[in-house]
Amino acid sequence: MSSTEQGTSSAAPAEPTTAPESAAAPEVPESFYYVHGKDKVVHKVSAGALQHSALIHGMISNLGYTEEQAKANPFPFENIDGDILQMVVDWCNQHKGKPTPPEDTNLPKQKEKLFDLVLAVNYLEIKELLTYCCKQVAMMVKGKSPEEIREIWMIPTDAEDEAAEKEAKKRAGKEAAGETAAAAGDAK
Amino acid sequence: MGVLTMGEELLCTAVSVVLHIFVQISHLVDFGKRCFTRAPPSLDPIDWPAMPRVAQEKVIDYLDIKTRYALRRCSKSDQALVERTLKTIEAEFVFLKIFDDKIDVDVMQKTFRGMFYFKTFTCPNEAAMVLRSILKRVLTKNLVIECHKIHNLRRFLDAWAPEGHNVKIRTMKLTWNCQMESARELRRVLALVQSDLVTEVLVNDGFLINLDWLMRSKFWNLLKAVYPHQDVFIDIQKHCSLKVVEIYFVGVDENGSCYKKEVLRTEDPSAFNEDDVDSIYLPRQTFTFLEITETLKRLEVGLQWDEEEKSSWLGQKNQV
């Protein structure tokens, strides 16, 4: 996205360049923050865009970072893939300072990433984007039969679930037995 | 040698032809398989069980009732999840049409714009099970029941609300489109309706006998005393929006054909808010509670009154 300044190096945050957002609102200079995902690529995001995320917004207000501090300490989101974080940042920038319409067409179309996106958005507490993602997930199964839903949403049957549980229990039992045997050996 | 070579050539040709035919057939079989088996979903699967609960609930909010019921059948955890969300949704209409060989269930939800066909059931038990589940949880604004053959209706009701089964219907209005003598069946259904929710019962073209649930009032008790049940059919249309109850008394003559004996069009004070009574526009054939007493006095002629019942009613009337 053109509005997102993306760092290229993994170690240091990207050098902030003149952002188009700041040109749009010249009266108050906009503050920027930095986030990075699993791939350590740093994304520069304006404070206005980050307001969509209740988690990051809470972090910002609690930490009271200056721009320099923010640049030096990008928010790490190790559990979010880089490309997913990029999508989220793009979306936040696009919807900066305006309410999300009920039918949002600006969301990235890569539906194969939808599940990861839902997890990320839920973690970052971006309510509007989560609503839209959930709508997309719901659309995947609308009017489908239980078998089709199972296939699309990877839902195991109760029998499969029980079998997996039994297997897990067996494995846990074996591991526990191995541990007790090892402990007994150590004691001897 | 020459003959043998020719034979070999012929054999080779025959083998190649047979092989070619086999290849063609296998291609056709593959093509057929591709055509007739369900295409895999174009999207990558979602790991639904690993999804956060908040997101799962949000997703379910965007599913119509039909899809929710399909999801409900996927696993026990989904069943519990869906059932929790069903209580929060409303259905504008639930249409139940009972035919000889099938039962149609249609559901209309406001949020999903337009009615969608839910399912056609061939087995009454299956239809009954689904309907029990929907009507127990989903708040329905109008449940419309339509049937034209009494034995079909009875068969379905036996499946829907068997003895000892705790069936509850959460509907605000019940529309009974059963054009036959189905008073007992209507009473069975009314006994299932959650009485604090229902505000209107509209009975179209039904001959109703002794419908005491609908007319649980002193007036109705009197009518029951006046009209011997075995001699008369009573057709009731209760319009809560108009605050009017129409009661058609239909007798049967010697030839077995019906004739309209009496029509009473009145407000039933116990069925509506008392404050509304005076403000209702009452057309010509409308009686106030007092006027009805006069009418009934007229009807008293030739009827055998149970003295105890009469004195009881008169006592109640004096109290009023």
Side-chain angles (χ1 to χ4, degrees), chain A residues 9-185:
Chain A
S9 69
S10 59
E15 278 297 311
T17 53
T18 318
E21 288 83 15
S22 58
E27 299 88 14
V28 184
E30 200 166 16
S31 51
F32 288 88
Y33 293 89
Y34 301 88
V35 291
H36 73 74
K38 208 183 269 181
D39 60 354
K40 306 281 184 193
V41 175
V42 178
H43 305 270
K44 181 186 173 190
V45 204
S46 67
L50 282 180
Q51 278 190 344
H52 282 289
S53 164
L55 179 79
I56 302 177
H57 186 63
M59 286 162 85
I60 292 167
S61 40
N62 289 335
L63 292 170
Y65 272 5
T66 60
E67 193 147 355
E68 284 72 32
Q69 284 171 322
K71 204 158 76 173
N73 305 297
F75 294 119
F77 297 109
E78 303 287 352
N79 51 347
I80 302 174
D81 284 338
D83 51 345
I84 299 292
L85 191 63
Q86 174 73 60
M87 277 187 207
V88 174
V89 166
D90 286 347
W91 187 89
C92 288
N93 278 322
Q94 276 171 4
H95 295 87
K96 188 175 69 175
K98 51 187 174 185
T100 319
E103 297 297 325
D104 189 354
T105 50
N106 289 327
L107 194 78
K109 296 286 178 282
Q110 297 110 308
K111 286 183 178 174
E112 64 272 14
K113 300 279 185 188
L114 199 53
F115 176 65
D116 293 330
L117 191 60
V118 169
L119 293 186
V121 166
N122 182 57
Y123 178 72
L124 295 171
E125 296 174 45
I126 306 174
K127 202 179 159 192
E128 298 93 339
L129 186 53
L130 182 64
T131 302
Y132 187 72
C133 289
C134 289
K135 222 184 251 186
Q136 293 290 313
V137 175
M139 290 302 286
M140 290 168 80
V141 296
K142 204 173 174 189
K144 297 274 192 293
S145 68
E147 291 73 27
E148 286 169 322
I149 293 176
R150 263 197 210 114
E151 197 179 323
I152 297 167
W153 280 359
M154 291 169 62
I155 303 173
T157 58
D158 288 330
E160 285 169 352
D161 242 359
E162 277 171 23
E165 257 179 45
K166 270 184 191 173
E167 210 169 280
K169 269 185 191 172
K170 263 186 192 175
R171 210 176 300 149
K174 272 181 191 174
E175 277 172 14
E179 275 174 19
T180 47

Side-chain angles (χ1 to χ4, degrees), chain B residues 248-265:
Chain B
Y248 295 84
F249 294 86
V250 183
V252 183
D253 64 15
E254 290 166 1
N255 304 321
S257 47
C258 295
Y259 65 96
K260 205 170 272 182
K261 223 173 169 179
E262 190 75 32
V263 182
L264 297 179
R265 187 176 158 86

